Amino acid sequence: MRPAEVRVIAETSASGELIPAGLEIMRTVRERGPIIAALNSALSDPEVTRLIVVAGPELPDAFCAAVISRLMLLERLDVEVALVLPFPTPASGVYGLPTGSAAVALATDGSAVEVPLIRDDMAIVLIGTARQRGIDGDLDGESYVDSTLLLRGKAKAVVVEPTAEMPGVRARLDKRFRSRWHVGRAAQTGARQLIVERDGITSPRPTKRSTFYRHQQNWHLVRP
């Protein structure tokens, strides 16, 4: 791609070795305001068709998911997104992405494909792994994937991940011996109180219901 068509959104802690040379760079922290400002600056030029998102070493999936969440809210999911993760993460496993220097090469030379965008009812995008768990001890409630009952009663937690293909989301119970994945469009859990962990970030407050589901629009991810 021509340099004019590409911008880099890099976390402030991201290694300079993972930032492609010769491109305009916006540095930001993992917070709503700074990410929106960086995106507005990057996308102010109508020629820009690709964003390279370079994550730092702490919770890299969470940083990338935060950028994609803001793209969704800005209604700019038409823009291609290339993820540069410093090391293997749940998201790199979900989407089959290289990491480190190989991710830099793919980000500049690879092609984008449409993949399902998974978000929750708080408008937060999930690209790696989420857990719906109890506050103190086991989760006690009900969980469904579409209309399939996953849990009624107690379990350690429900694990939720996006899928790279339709229908978009999968969930299983967190057990000592891994349980079977159930695949659908949405994964929903309800309980008197539960805590949600998204890409390594724990929600500050408990809730009674948590749903991860496929957004009405896909996103454009640069993949091998």
Side-chain angles (χ1 to χ4, degrees), residues 76-79 113-118 166-167 214-221:
R76 289 305 312 269
L77 292 176
D78 58 300
V79 177
V113 298
E114 288 192 45
V115 294
L117 179 65
I118 302 305
M166 294 296 187
R214 190 176 76 236
H215 190 59
Q216 67 265 28
Q217 285 182 273
N218 295 332
W219 60 300
H220 296 76
L221 174 65

Side-chain angles (χ1 to χ4, degrees), residues 60-61 64 83-100 103 127-129 161-162 164 199 219 221 223-224:
D61 284 354
C64 294
L83 303 182
V84 177
L85 298 163
F87 44 75
T89 68
S92 68
V94 167
Y95 299 107
L97 300 175
T99 60
I127 66 169
T129 298
E161 291 184 355
D199 289 323
W219 60 300
L221 174 65
R223 294 183 64 194

Side-chain angles (χ1 to χ4, degrees), residues 45-223:
D45 186 342
E47 281 198 68
V48 175
T49 59
R50 177 174 296 186
L51 292 177
I52 297 176
V53 182
V54 184
E58 184 179 354
L59 302 175
D61 284 354
F63 175 75
C64 294
V67 174
I68 300 164
S69 296
R70 304 306 171 227
L71 272 181
M72 176 184 70
L73 295 174
L74 292 171
E75 298 184 347
R76 289 305 312 269
L77 292 176
D78 58 300
V79 177
E80 298 176 356
V81 178
L83 303 182
V84 177
L85 298 163
F87 44 75
T89 68
S92 68
V94 167
Y95 299 107
L97 300 175
T99 60
S101 59
V104 180
L106 177 67
T108 54
D109 299 327
S111 299
V113 298
E114 288 192 45
V115 294
L117 179 65
I118 302 305
R119 55 170 290 180
D120 69 3
D121 33 18
M122 299 297 291
I124 300 174
V125 168
L126 176 70
I127 66 169
T129 298
R131 296 177 76 248
Q132 300 160 326
R133 61 171 176 82
I135 296 178
D136 297 306
D138 289 343
L139 171 70
D140 187 359
E142 285 190 349
S143 185
Y144 288 85
V145 178
D146 291 348
S147 59
T148 300
L149 179 66
L150 182 65
L151 170 69
R152 179 175 290 139
K154 292 186 178 182
K156 183 178 179 181
V158 174
V159 181
V160 183
E161 291 184 355
T163 62
E165 292 82 27
M166 294 296 187
V169 70
R170 66 180 188 172
R172 64 174 176 85
L173 299 182
D174 186 359
K175 293 183 175 181
R176 181 179 179 184
F177 299 101
R178 179 166 292 193
S179 57
R180 182 169 68 91
W181 288 107
H182 295 265
V183 180
R185 182 186 178 279
Q188 178 175 280
T189 298
R192 288 188 176 181
Q193 284 192 317
L194 62 89
I195 289 290
V196 183
E197 299 172 1
R198 310 170 184 86
D199 289 323
I201 302 293
T202 301
S203 59
R205 291 178 294 276
T207 184
K208 293 183 178 181
R209 188 175 302 276
S210 169
T211 305
F212 290 90
Y213 62 96
R214 190 176 76 236
H215 190 59
Q216 67 265 28
Q217 285 182 273
N218 295 332
W219 60 300
H220 296 76
L221 174 65
V222 179
R223 294 183 64 194

